[in-house]
Structures are given as structure tokens and as C-alpha cells.
Amino acid sequence: MSQSSVLFQLSGQSLSYGDHRVLDNISLQIHRGEKVALLGPSGAGKTSLLHLLYQQQPERVALQPQSGGLVDLLSVYQNIFIGGLERVRTLPALWNLVRPLAAHRQGIAELVQTLGLEDKLWQSVDRLSGGQRQRVAIGRALYRQQPVFLGDEPVSSVDPLQAELLLEYLLEQHETAVVSLHNRQLALNHFERIIVMRDGRICCDCPARELSEQRLDEWYQQESSLLAPSPVQETDGWAMVRS
Ligand SMILES: Nc1ncnc2c1ncn2[C@@H]1O[C@H](COP(=O)(O)OP(=O)(O)OP(=O)(O)O)[C@@H](O)[C@H]1O
């Protein structure tokens, strides 16, 4: 892949909160067109890494944070519309929040139908289930209409079939995607590259076709002490830490 297609680049980057180091010496390149799954146990640093990536290209990214970031008292329509605010001038944007403009109304209604929420369009999101709220957050990310999707467990609250379909749709609609997941099977089925993190480090970065669910489980089960720096094995241009 050419250097000009590099979208995100981290070189020996670390991140600490006070004296707690949460990312340790991360080096990484992500190219335009790649679909990357980010795996690793809770607290491994996936969210922190996504935020570092986001800071590199905020204007080209649709970010779906783990919390969803919805405004509780606003409707499904209004929450999704917020995703496209940057495309709308201030006055029409304010007007649209009170009285939906036809152009936005149609686009959002279509999106909401794709998400299976058509009967909830005017309902405030504080009255939705966790899975429904997550679909609204997906709708808002899609309505940003950006080429890059950064998702932090974007389908963790929906049922397994919906998770497959929604993830597939998100990947289709974005040229490049980096998505943190806990579901290893979703990662293996839908992504071409998998990065596994542990204790703030990347312990595996390789093509999904070289991995299995069992192999991924091993990284979740290993004790931290087993992850002391160890020799790096080069496989087909990808770095894999020997365990
Ligand atoms: N604002 C913060 N202040 C202090 N520590 C933080 C903060 N945010 C995250 N951390 C710490 O950073 C580490 C990595 O957190 P992060 O959210 O990146 O992990 P994660 O892999 O996304 O976890 P999960 O799968 O549970 O979402 C954790 O130990 C967490 O406690």
C-alpha cells in the first residue's frame, strides 16, 4: 500500500491519565479503504486508541462513542439530524429542530426505516430500549456522511442478527472503518484486519484470515504477566507478538 493512502499514523505513541499509562508505545498505520476490528479485554485501551485516531482526522470521521452520546429529551429525528448539523447553516438548523424541513425529513425517515425504527421517529430517545438507542446512534453516525467510521462497540446492545446486518451496513457505507468489538466472531466475519490490544499495547495486528476464534480467545485469557515485551515475528508484512 502506498504512503499516500495512509489515513491514520501513530509512531510510538503513549497516553497516560495522571501516572496511569493506558496506551504504551503504539505504532500503527491505517490506510484508506481498510476495515479494521479492534479487540481486547475490557480496559485494554481500545476507546483510548479510537480517540487518538479521531483527533487525527475529526473532520472526516463519523464517530460512534460507546455511550452513544444521545440527547435524551430530543426525538429520534432530532438526534439523527444532529449528525448532519455541519452541512446546514445555523438558522435552517435551528428551524429544522422545531419544524423539520422536507429535505432532511425525507432522508432521515429513510434512514430510520433502514434501522427498523420508523414507528419511533418522533419519540424522545429517553423512552427507547438500549438496543433502540444504539440504532439511533448508528443513524446519527450514518447521517454525518463521512468517509471514515470510528465505532466503539457500535452494535453491542442489539440482538445477534441485527448486529450482523447493522455492522455490514456501516461497513458498506464507509470507505474506511476502525471498530472496537467484544464479539470475536463478528470481527472474523466482517473485517479483513484485526488488532488485539492488551494492557495498553498492541499484541496482535494481522489479517483476519490468519486468526480463529480460539486463537483470539487465548489473548483474552492470557495473564498480563505473559504479555511482557517479547520478540516480534514478521508475518507477511504484519507484526505479530509471539506468545
Ligand atoms: N478519563 C479517564 N481517566 C482515567 N483513566 C481512564 C479514563 N478513561 C479511561 N481510563 C483508563 O484507561 C484504561 C483504558 O480504558 P479504555 O476505555 O481505553 O479501555 P477499553 O479497552 O475501551 O475498555 P472497554 O472494552 O471496557 O470499553 C482503563 O484502565 C481505564 O480505567
Side-chain angles (χ1 to χ4, degrees), residues 17 20-23 40-49 66 152-153 180 182 197:
Y17 291 108
H20 180 198
R21 180 166 282 212
V22 297
L23 291 179
S42 185
K46 303 179 296 295
T47 302
S48 307
L49 178 58
Q66 201 171 47
D152 198 352
E153 298 180 41
S180 110
H182 279 298
M197 298 191 69

Side-chain angles (χ1 to χ4, degrees), residues 214-240:
Q214 189 188 352
R215 185 82 186 99
L216 290 172
D217 284 346
E218 287 168 18
W219 270 297
Y220 275 73
Q221 286 154 10
Q222 282 170 344
E223 292 301 319
S224 301
S225 59
L226 295 178
L227 289 159
S230 51
V232 170
Q233 178 188 347
E234 290 295 333
T235 61
D236 200 16
W238 300 79
M240 211 164 166

Side-chain angles (χ1 to χ4, degrees), residues 113-166:
Q113 196 163 12
T114 305
L115 297 167
L117 289 170
E118 56 273 32
D119 56 332
K120 310 283 184 203
L121 188 59
W122 306 112
Q123 193 160 311
S124 63
V125 297
D126 60 347
R127 293 172 56 207
L128 300 182
S129 72
Q132 289 167 337
R133 287 173 66 90
Q134 195 162 50
R135 280 183 276 158
V136 178
I138 289 172
R140 195 179 48 191
L142 287 163
Y143 204 60
R144 272 187 64 72
Q145 297 174 7
Q146 294 298 326
V148 184
F149 177 69
L150 296 181
D152 198 352
E153 298 180 41
V155 292
S156 57
S157 302
V158 297
D159 66 63
L161 179 61
Q162 277 188 359
E164 292 268 358
L165 295 172
L166 289 169

Side-chain angles (χ1 to χ4, degrees), residues 77 80-81 87 96 99-115 118 121-122 143 145 169:
Y77 175 89
I80 292 180
F81 174 73
R87 298 192 297 279
N96 182 68
R99 188 176 288 236
L101 299 168
H104 296 286
R105 192 176 168 145
Q106 189 182 337
I108 292 174
E110 282 167 15
L111 190 50
V112 160
Q113 196 163 12
T114 305
L115 297 167
E118 56 273 32
L121 188 59
W122 306 112
Y143 204 60
Q145 297 174 7
Y169 190 64

